[in-house]
């Protein structure tokens, strides 16, 4: 795996990963592993979250104060860092969601009905 | 802000993640070990994630800068010779740039110290002879200003000398003569007391005076009780009404200010008028074109008011008032020279960049192996360029620091010369803006000479270098090419500068080896200005001067003492028209011009001027004896080419005068560079002070030849003058050699403008010709009206 390819994939993921994290946290506080798991599960295992990319993304969102973090104890009694959506984060989620919908819709219209190409 | 999160905390989070994942795998039935391995696998590159966290938390560039700096310092100390040469080269460039900037900043950029300086304008008069720099219609102009006109207020001023007496020792001071409106126009308030009242600014009013801060400190001990006291100026009583602030120095060099007291009737008729400078304050909302319109209106008013005056003085019909922003007016003469010097400095800075870039390149070549190794080990190219830039910036900062020191040294030297060679240049200070400028230039320089070699250093194949395949002396083709370009550019620029400097040096050298026409060694010169009621008559002036010369001659070491013009730009004679006997009268306006200089009999012997033919003036040329004159060789060349001038008679009397006052040419003396070494010798004739006299002796120059050390004679001279009249100061005492050296100063400044005499001076010498006849009588103080013209031309000297 060359460095270049990795960087390309990461940049491709970046915007959407943020959105997915925010969406997951909208359901309630969660730790990193839980977030990754939840995304994978709810996407029907289609989306594989590279855990290495997850934590810098969390870091970034925390710096923007869209999410906040606190150490807590997980369901199976392990110490974990729990992330919560903040007020600005919730607003941002709405913004990002509608933007994504528009983008996806627009791209869908361009590509045409399934099986057209 | 929240506290920064440590990398330990982050590491724990990742560990927790792995454990949580492992828990999940265990639930699926994997063994402890397998679960952990799977969790790790699923996570990907743990170290890389930690690195990214580390990078996101820090100014990574600061880290690498720190590293680069340490490395650069190590490298520079390893080759101290190289480093010192590079840093000193940069220091020269930055030093010159910083010094130049502080001059330009002081002279051209920094606003004048008055409130709202952009509203201040200088008002001048132009005629077909060009700009006169005078505006005599003060009264007409001022009464036509209203509160809503483009020009709000106007003040007139001039500068002259006064004798301050009544203290232990009489002293000659520079007096700014100003109207009452002068201070309100500039909006300057005194620190103590008040400025002049309108009724004090009238002829015959009780005399009042404002002291400059420096005079107040120097002679009155900074005691504010002096306000309201009386002092003696030109033997008359004047009341001190105020002290001006320390920064206020306008007209430049004023020790004190006295009312201008223009005579309204004479001034309005343009008869016997004073030539004055005018400063105006514009309405805040007025644009330059509003001001010009206003001045056009005023020009029309002034011309219509006295049509006969304007008709009689033909050239006045072309009169027009114009304005110029005051700052530009005060510094306009220096602008071209400063710009030329700035250009030269910029050129020099470029040469410095090229030189150091070349040094860097030479070294970069020898470091290619090191760089190739770093590239091979995976160092990003950006980091390598950063490393090389750090090195060049370090050198330029080092050089910049030394350069700033050099600039301070240069500015100190310049300020020291200000009094003599660079009259008119305000005191130059290195301030924070200079420091900021220097820093900026330093960084730019560092990047400029560092970038090319840094980028060039990457232009080679890593593998070839490491395998030692291309160990040629000067490296890859790219580097070689860059060096070629640099060398060519460097040579071209250096040549340009060298030619400029060569021209400057040549014209300077020509002056140094020039024969001034006199022997400046062992001559002391000084001035005396006799004022007050006891010196109104010419006889009294002669009496004083004869007594003085006689006593000076008896001082130890004195070989001869005389009165006359001080050569080399010290003072000049009067210039005027004359006619030659038995020659057809020239058409009006084309009469020959000559300088006439009034001297005592010993003048030529004191200066060591050779007699070419005939005889010198003698003490017997006095009283009622027939008038005799001595002429110089330039006079012979101009008016008696191929003829024997001896025995011819000339006259300076006007054509309709019944007594022609013919004076016989009795001798020819060698040429003296009277106005300065860089000026041509003008036709001149010398008359003795014992005979007919036009301008009187009230302003006289002493020239004293001693056997050795002329400067040591100054105290004795002062005592002698005080012994004859203790209220009479003798001032501006200087050796002739000193004056000669000073006269070369302005030349250094303007020689850069062109290989030879700059244009503005031609215009100014025209002014010198025109002014005296134009301002036929400027008042009692200086009947001939030459002082002003001489001042104007002096002011032009720094152009």
């Amino acid at each position: 795996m060359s460095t270049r390819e990795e960087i390309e994939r990461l940049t491709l993921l970046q915007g959407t990963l943020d959105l997915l994290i925010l969406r997951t946290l909208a359901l309630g506080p969660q730790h990193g592993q839980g977030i990754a798991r939840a995304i994978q599960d709810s996407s029907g295992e289609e989306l594989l979250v590279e855990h290495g990319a997850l934590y810098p993304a969390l870091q970034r969102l925390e710096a923007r104060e869209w999410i906040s973090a606190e150490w807590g104890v997980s369901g199976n009694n392990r110490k974990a860092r729990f992330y919560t959506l903040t007020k600005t984060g919730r607003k941002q989620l709405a913004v990002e969601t509608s933007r994504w919908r528009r983008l996806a819709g627009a791209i869908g219209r361009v590509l045409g009905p399934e099986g057209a190409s | 802000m929240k506290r920064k999160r440590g990398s330990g905390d982050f590491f724990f989070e990742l560990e927790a993640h792995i454990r949580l994942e492992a828990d999940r795998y265990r639930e699926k039935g994997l063994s402890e070990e397998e679960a952990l391995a799977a969790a790790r696998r699923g996570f990907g590159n743990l170290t890389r994630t930690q690195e990214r966290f580390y990078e996101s938390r820090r100014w990574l560039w600061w880290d690498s800068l720190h590293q680069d700096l340490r490395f650069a310092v190590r490298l520079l100390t390893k080759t101290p010779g190289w480093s010192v040469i590079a840093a000193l080269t940069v220091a020269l460039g930055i030093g010159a740039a910083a010094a130049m900037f502080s001059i330009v900043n002081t002279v051209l950029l920094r606003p004048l110290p008055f409130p709202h300086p952009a509203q201040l304008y200088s008002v001048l008069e132009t005629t077909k002879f060009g700009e006169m720099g005078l505006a005599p219609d003060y009264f007409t102009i001022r009464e036509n200003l209203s509160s809503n006109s483009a020009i709000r207020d106007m003040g007139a001023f001039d500068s002259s000398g006064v004798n301050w007496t009544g203290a232990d020792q009489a002293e000659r001071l520079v007096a700014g003569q100003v109207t009452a409106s002068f201070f309100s126009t500039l909006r300057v308030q005194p620190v103590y007391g008040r400025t002049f009242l309108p009724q004090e600014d009238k002829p015959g009013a009780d005399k009042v005076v404002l002291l400059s801060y420096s005079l107040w400190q120097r002679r009155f001990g900074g005691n504010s009780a002096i306000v309201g006291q009386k002092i003696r100026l030109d033997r008359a009583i004047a009341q001190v009404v105020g002290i001006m602030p320390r920064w206020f120095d306008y007209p430049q060099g004023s020790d004190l200010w006295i009312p201008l007291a223009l005579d309204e009737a004479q001034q309005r008729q343009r008869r016997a008028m004073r030539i004055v400078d005018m400063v105006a304050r514009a309405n805040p909302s007025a644009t330059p074109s509003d001001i010009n319109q206003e001045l056009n209106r005023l020009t029309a008013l002034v011309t219509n008011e006295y049509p006969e005056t304007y008709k009689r003085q033909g050239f006045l019909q072309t009169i027009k008032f114009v304005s110029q922003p005051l700052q530009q007016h005060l510094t306009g003469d220096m602008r071209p020279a400063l710009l030329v010097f700035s250009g030269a400095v910029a050129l020099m800075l470029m040469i410095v960049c090229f030189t150091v870039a070349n040094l860097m390149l030479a070294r970069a070549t020898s470091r290619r192996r090191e760089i190739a190794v770093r590239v091979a080990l995976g160092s990003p190219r950006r980091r390598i360029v950063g490393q090389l830039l750090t090195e060049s910036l370090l050198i330029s900062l080092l050089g910049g620091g030394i350069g700033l020191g050099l600039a301070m040294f240069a500015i100190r030297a310049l300020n020291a010369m200000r009094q003599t060679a660079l009259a008119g240049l305000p005191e130059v200070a290195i301030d924070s803006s200079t420091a900021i400028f220097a820093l900026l230039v330093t960084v730019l320089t560092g990047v400029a000479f560092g970038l090319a070699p840094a980028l060039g250093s990457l232009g080679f194949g890593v593998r070839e270098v490491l395998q030692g395949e291309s160990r040629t002396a000067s490296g890859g083709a790219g580097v070689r090419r860059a060096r070629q370009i640099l060398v060519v550019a460097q040579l071209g620029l250096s040549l340009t500068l060298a030619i400029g400097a060569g021209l400057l040096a040549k014209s300077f050298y020509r002056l140094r080896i020039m024969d001034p026409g006199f022997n400046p060694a062992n001559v002391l010169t000084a001035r005396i200005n006799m004022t007050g009621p006891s010196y109104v008559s010419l006889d009294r002036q002669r009496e004083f001067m004869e007594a003085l010369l006689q006593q000076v001659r008896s001082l130890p070491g004195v070989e001869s003492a005389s009165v006359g013009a001080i050569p080399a730009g010290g003072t000049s004679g009067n210039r005027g028209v004359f006619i030659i006997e038995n020659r057809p009268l020239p058409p009006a306006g084309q009469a020959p011009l000559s300088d006439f200089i009034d001297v005592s009999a010993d003048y030529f012997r004191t200066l060591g001027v050779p007699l070419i033919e005939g005889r010198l003036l003698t003490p017997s040329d006095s009283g009622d004896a027939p008038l005799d004159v001595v002429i110089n060789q330039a006079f012979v060349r101009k008016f008696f080419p191929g003829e024997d001038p001896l025995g011819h008679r000339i006259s300076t009397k006007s054509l309709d005068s019944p007594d022609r006052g013919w004076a016989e040419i009795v001798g020819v003396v060698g040429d003296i560079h009277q106005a300065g070494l860089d000026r041509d010798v003008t036709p001149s004739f010398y008359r003795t002070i014992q005979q007919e006299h036009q301008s009187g002796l009230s302003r006289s120059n002493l020239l004293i030849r001693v056997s050795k050390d002329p400067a040591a004679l100054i105290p004795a001279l002062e005592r002698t003058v005080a012994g004859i009249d203790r209220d009479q100061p003798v001032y501006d005492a200087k050796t002739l050699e000193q004056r000669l050296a000073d006269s070369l100063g302005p030349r250094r400044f303007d020689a850069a403008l062109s290989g030879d005499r700059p244009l503005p001076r031609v215009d100014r010498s025209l002014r010198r010709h025109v002014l005296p006849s134009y301002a036929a009588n400027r008042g009692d103080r200086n009947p001939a009206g030459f002082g002003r013209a001489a001042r104007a031309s002096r002011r032009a000297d720094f152009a």
Side-chain angles (χ1 to χ4, degrees):
Chain A
M1 181 172 72
S2 89
T3 322
R4 192 157 303 233
E5 270 170 53
E6 181 191 60
I7 288 167
E8 263 172 19
R9 205 165 65 202
L10 287 178
T11 45
L12 198 74
L13 258 171
Q14 187 162 315
T16 38
L17 182 58
D18 287 3
L19 175 60
L20 295 178
I21 293 171
L22 291 177
R23 173 75 192 113
T24 309
L25 288 180
L27 304 173
Q30 190 55 275
H31 50 72
Q33 189 259 353
I35 293 169
R37 208 31 69 197
I39 291 172
Q40 255 162 263
D41 291 350
S42 56
S43 70
E45 304 282 334
E46 292 259 29
L47 292 175
L48 187 77
V49 178
E50 203 206 319
H51 298 183
L54 175 71
Y55 284 91
L58 285 170
Q59 197 63 33
R60 197 165 53 238
L61 293 176
E62 197 184 339
R64 288 182 195 157
E65 297 188 2
W66 292 350
I67 59 175
S68 57
E70 219 176 334
W71 282 96
V73 182
S74 76
N76 45 6
N77 234 354
R78 289 215 183 264
K79 265 189 91 177
R81 206 163 184 259
F82 278 82
Y83 293 91
T84 321
L85 201 59
T86 63
K87 227 177 198 173
T88 35
R90 203 167 288 279
K91 267 184 224 152
Q92 196 57 34
L93 173 63
V95 173
E96 296 278 322
T97 309
S98 86
R99 184 179 296 154
W100 175 256
R101 293 235 152 92
R102 274 170 55 207
L103 182 67
I107 290 175
R109 280 192 294 282
V110 172
L111 296 179
E114 229 169 292
S117 51
Chain B
M1 265 317 276
K2 273 180 295 181
R3 249 196 55 201
K4 257 193 175 181
R5 199 175 160 202
S7 54
D9 191 69
F10 188 71
F11 178 71
F12 282 135
E13 186 180 11
L14 297 188
E15 275 221 328
H17 178 105
I18 305 276
R19 265 192 225 109
L20 283 166
E21 276 287 279
D23 284 350
R24 229 185 103 251
Y25 284 119
R26 253 200 313 276
E27 278 163 28
K28 285 184 177 173
L30 288 168
S31 76
E32 177 79 28
E33 237 167 74
E34 282 166 336
L36 217 63
R40 288 237 159 84
R41 217 169 27 245
F43 191 89
N45 191 339
L46 193 66
T47 318
R48 177 74 194 122
T49 308
Q50 272 180 306
E51 263 178 17
R52 270 164 61 181
F53 171 79
Y54 182 79
E55 287 171 15
S56 78
R57 304 303 308 179
R58 254 162 214 266
W59 288 356
L60 197 64
W61 63 266
W62 176 254
D63 257 25
S64 33
L65 180 69
H66 194 71
Q67 268 177 27
D68 289 350
L69 263 180
R70 274 211 325 246
F71 188 71
V73 169
R74 255 203 331 263
L75 205 80
L76 292 185
T77 45
K78 218 164 71 183
T79 52
W82 186 94
S83 312
V84 166
I85 289 175
L88 283 184
T89 311
V90 175
L92 280 180
I94 305 275
M100 201 59 223
F101 175 82
S102 55
I103 297 173
V104 169
N105 184 38
T106 310
V107 177
L108 299 182
L109 304 180
R110 193 185 296 163
L112 297 172
F114 311 112
H116 302 289
Q119 295 168 6
L120 290 173
Y121 287 82
S122 171
V123 176
L124 318 160
E125 205 177 76
T126 63
T127 68
K128 64 178 176 184
F129 290 116
E131 201 172 85
M132 290 298 199
L134 24 129
D137 298 279
Y138 173 72
F139 293 97
T140 316
I141 293 175
R142 201 140 182 272
E143 75 191 7
N144 280 292
L145 296 179
S146 63
S147 59
N148 56 2
S149 58
I151 295 171
R152 251 228 184 126
D153 204 356
M154 238 176 206
F157 64 96
D158 195 2
S159 201
S160 69
V162 291
N163 293 337
W164 174 50
T165 56
D168 328 332
Q169 197 182 11
E171 189 174 339
R172 181 79 177 167
L173 298 173
V174 178
Q177 297 178 289
V178 302
T179 58
S181 60
F182 176 76
F183 296 107
S184 60
T185 302
L186 294 177
R187 296 202 189 144
V188 178
Q189 295 291 329
V191 286
Y192 290 107
R194 57 169 176 84
T195 53
F196 302 137
L197 306 173
Q199 63 266 28
E200 287 166 344
D201 183 25
K202 295 220 161 64
D206 286 347
K207 290 195 166 23
V208 285
V209 57
L210 279 158
L211 303 181
S212 73
Y213 198 90
S214 63
L215 180 72
W216 178 55
Q217 292 289 334
R218 182 165 62 86
R219 296 309 298 256
F220 300 99
N223 183 354
S224 60
I226 185 70
V227 177
Q229 304 284 310
K230 298 196 156 90
I231 62 172
R232 296 221 302 152
L233 294 178
D234 284 350
R235 290 158 211 265
I237 301 293
Q239 188 184 19
V240 178
V241 295
I243 317 285
M244 294 310 287
R246 183 196 295 263
W247 56 265
F248 185 69
D249 182 28
Y250 189 59
Q252 208 184 25
S254 297
D255 294 309
L256 44 80
W257 289 266
I258 55 177
L260 183 59
L262 290 170
D263 185 316
E264 181 163 356
Q266 293 200 332
Q267 204 72 15
R268 278 176 179 271
Q269 297 292 332
R270 276 185 175 264
R271 290 164 185 272
M273 62 183 188
R274 284 287 298 274
I275 297 162
V276 293
D277 284 310
M278 287 186 66
V279 60
R281 182 170 288 274
N283 227 315
S285 59
T287 64
S289 82
D290 291 341
I291 292 163
N292 278 338
Q293 264 177 22
E294 176 83 9
L295 288 174
N296 287 343
R297 184 177 74 89
L298 292 170
T299 308
L301 273 171
V302 168
T303 356
N304 291 336
E305 197 171 355
Y306 308 105
E308 315 87 56
T309 310
Y310 285 83
K311 213 170 286 166
R312 195 177 60 243
Q313 303 247 30
F315 73 94
L316 283 180
Q317 280 170 354
T318 55
I319 197 169
K320 191 167 162 16
F321 296 141
V322 294
S323 66
Q324 195 181 24
L326 186 60
Q327 174 141 24
Q328 210 177 319
H329 178 70
L330 291 178
T331 61
D333 288 342
M334 314 185 84
R335 184 177 284 263
L338 285 181
L339 293 184
V340 166
F341 275 108
S342 300
V345 167
L347 217 62
M348 187 172 146
L349 206 58
M350 275 167 80
I351 296 177
V352 164
C353 283
F354 287 140
T355 309
V356 183
N358 221 339
L359 284 173
M360 296 278 293
L361 265 187
R363 210 175 54 152
T365 310
S366 63
R367 285 177 60 190
R368 277 182 20 220
R369 242 186 124 72
E370 167 210 328
I371 290 167
V373 168
R374 288 184 62 174
V375 171
L377 286 179
S379 175
R381 305 208 156 198
R382 162 170 68 77
R383 276 297 310 273
I384 292 183
V385 171
Q387 165 71 43
L388 291 172
L389 273 185
T390 308
E391 280 167 31
S392 65
L393 277 176
L394 194 68
I395 293 168
S396 75
L397 281 174
L398 213 67
I402 304 173
L404 208 57
L406 285 179
M408 282 175 180
F409 187 72
I411 292 298
R412 192 169 302 163
L414 188 78
N415 280 332
M417 285 203 318
R418 200 162 62 92
Q419 292 307 322
T420 53
L422 302 162
L425 188 74
E427 171 129 19
V428 176
I430 290 206
D431 55 10
S432 56
S433 56
T434 308
I436 291 169
F437 174 83
L439 187 68
L440 211 72
V441 170
T442 301
V443 171
L444 279 179
T445 311
V447 171
F449 69 67
L451 202 58
L455 293 179
S457 70
L458 297 176
F460 55 81
V462 172
R463 202 166 50 86
E464 288 84 341
V465 174
L466 289 183
Q467 289 173 348
E469 276 175 12
S470 64
R471 268 196 206 139
T472 47
S474 51
V479 175
R480 215 163 38 232
R481 193 163 170 74
R483 292 193 66 180
Q484 281 165 357
I485 294 173
L486 283 179
V487 167
V488 168
Q490 204 179 342
L491 199 68
L493 287 174
S494 308
L495 212 59
T496 315
L497 260 197
I499 290 171
L503 282 175
L504 198 141
K506 186 184 148 208
S507 72
F508 194 60
Y509 176 72
R510 269 210 316 251
L511 293 180
R512 289 314 285 249
I513 59 164
M514 192 179 223
D515 176 17
F518 55 89
N519 176 8
N522 293 335
V523 176
L524 178 69
T525 62
R527 300 185 200 211
I528 283 190
N529 197 345
M530 290 173 252
T531 54
S534 47
Y535 292 111
V536 170
S537 80
L538 184 58
D539 285 342
R540 268 294 285 131
Q541 295 171 6
R542 264 193 199 136
E543 218 173 277
F544 174 90
M545 207 41 89
E546 266 158 31
L548 178 61
L549 287 180
Q550 204 175 345
Q551 291 191 23
V552 168
R553 279 188 199 111
S554 64
L555 290 173
V558 172
E559 291 175 355
S560 69
S562 61
V563 172
I566 300 173
T571 52
S572 49
N574 293 340
R575 179 168 298 178
V577 297
F578 68 97
I579 51 171
I580 302 168
E581 196 181 25
N582 300 328
R583 290 217 180 154
L585 286 179
Q590 287 179 31
L593 270 174
S594 170
D595 286 349
F596 32 99
I597 300 167
D598 299 314
V599 300
S600 67
D602 267 355
Y603 182 71
F604 303 105
R605 197 157 72 84
T606 308
L607 280 180
V609 178
L611 176 71
I612 307 296
E613 62 172 313
R615 65 167 173 89
L616 293 176
L617 297 167
T618 63
S620 64
D621 291 316
S622 66
D624 298 331
L627 301 176
D628 290 338
V629 294
V630 163
I631 60 178
N632 68 357
Q633 288 171 296
F635 194 99
V636 180
R637 283 195 298 275
K638 182 93 185 269
F639 302 114
F640 296 100
E643 238 181 295
D644 184 6
L646 295 187
H648 281 278
R649 298 207 297 173
I650 60 174
S651 166
T652 54
K653 291 274 173 74
S654 67
L655 294 177
D656 44 3
S657 148
D659 170 23
R660 304 281 344 153
W662 293 114
E664 187 182 336
I665 297 170
V666 296
V668 177
V669 292
D671 285 336
I672 300 178
H673 283 271
Q674 191 69 49
L677 285 184
D678 54 335
R679 316 284 179 92
D680 292 332
V681 176
T682 47
S684 309
F685 61 86
Y686 300 88
R687 308 181 296 193
T688 161
I689 58 169
Q690 302 295 341
Q691 290 181 325
E692 173 195 28
H693 232 282
Q694 257 197 342
S695 47
L697 280 170
S698 65
R699 294 170 164 236
S700 289
N701 311 302
L702 290 174
L703 300 98
I704 305 161
R705 177 167 289 280
V706 293
S707 49
K708 66 174 191 333
D709 195 7
L713 190 71
I714 295 175
L717 176 64
E718 282 170 351
R719 273 197 306 277
T720 309
V721 174
I724 300 173
D725 180 347
R726 68 174 293 270
D727 289 344
Q728 182 58 55
V730 55
Y731 64 103
D732 198 17
K734 259 184 198 171
T735 69
L736 195 50
E737 278 180 323
Q738 179 64 45
R739 282 190 200 278
L740 202 60
D742 290 352
S743 78
L744 293 177
R747 183 74 193 178
R748 282 168 223 168
F749 221 66
D750 69 20
L753 274 180
S754 58
D756 209 336
R757 190 164 308 181
L759 253 168
R761 185 164 285 161
V762 177
D763 168 52
R764 253 121 192 167
S765 68
L766 173 75
R767 190 198 283 184
R768 281 211 307 162
H769 284 281
V770 172
L771 268 185
S773 47
Y774 170 42
N777 188 352
R778 77 185 285 240
D780 54 344
R781 196 169 46 78
N782 183 10
F786 284 90
R788 163 78 202 198
R791 201 151 58 81
S793 67
R794 257 207 321 281
R795 202 170 45 191
D797 277 349
F798 58 70

